[in-house]
Amino acid sequence: MSETTALPRRVADRRGGVPIFGLMGAALLVIVFAELVLGPVQLGMGDLLAVLVGEGERGPTAILLQIRLPRAVLGLAVGLGLALSGCAMQGVLRNPLADPGLIGVTAGAAVGAVTVIVLGNYFVGDLPAPVRPYALPLGAFIGGMAVTGFVFSLSHRSGGTNVAMLILAGVAVNAIAGALIGAMVYISDDQQLRDLTFWSMGSIASGNWMQVSVTTALALAAALGLLTMGRSLDLFQLGERAAFHAGIDIEREKWRIALLTAIAVGAVTAAAGPIGFIGLVAPHMARLIVGPAHRNVLPAAALIGGALILGADLAVRMVVPPTEPPIGLATSMIGGPFFLWLLMRRMKRGGL
């Protein structure tokens, strides 16, 4: 039985009460506040309030409205999209090791985004001006959706999804995507190579309001869809046959989750680069806090995902100012040991 198996409803309700979500929301607000006021230039509460009421000085106003606020909004969107996508993947596959990066969705989105960065001059310039800002997230979405459709179709056996085949297909797709990205790097010019190098390590530092608005709109749309799937994900824990007899259209729900995941992962990967492990870590932390019922796990994972991204971004900004190491390094330093801990825990339980 998977670790995501639902507890009795009474237990889940007790562990996912309003006070817990209130505390988690308050913790996230504290991190957002720290993200706005801390940095190479320290700002106080007075500066923040003055800017919010339109009476701030030019320097603090520029720092808050043009640098830190879009960065915080983008970080929340990235954490929200990755955490909910990971939670949905783990739920539908009944595998706590599932993650959009593990089955190749992130790599597919990265290939789409890199293709637009390197070869975009050949087709983006012909697009209407209002459409051009969407070219990068659209390319990432197409790449993520193509991989999602491929791995799900390849792993479909005897009316169900073979999880082992899905993960193996994801490993193969990750290898192919790595080769394609390497080819794009090889043919890129100096400026494109510089852009690709920083983008591939993950960062929310370059977010402007246009990019942030597009990414946030797509991530929120996908997140709202995923947040409504708590009952379906709970029924998946009973097995696909039991879920079918409970009235769930199994294949339609799988493809719906795949589509929403591709939108969320594609949008945030295009804006912030391939940031790993948030989709793996956040759902597990949420289950430890609110229990396994997905109607609680999904919103809790979204809050934790946003807090993890902003916390990692704050850490990389404060460690060696004014330089900023890529945020992907910080999330990998957290997620890598966490993933090994999960593997060893499952080995001890005989799950591998």
Side-chain angles (χ1 to χ4, degrees), residues 244-288:
F244 173 77
H245 288 295
I248 297 294
D249 187 334
I250 301 297
E251 293 306 313
R252 189 190 68 179
E253 290 298 279
K254 282 182 182 176
W255 281 104
R256 186 181 170 199
I257 290 173
L259 176 63
L260 294 172
T261 298
I263 293 173
V265 174
V268 302
T269 300
I275 297 176
F277 293 112
I278 297 299
L280 176 69
V281 175
H284 284 281
M285 294 178 69
R287 289 189 195 96
L288 290 174

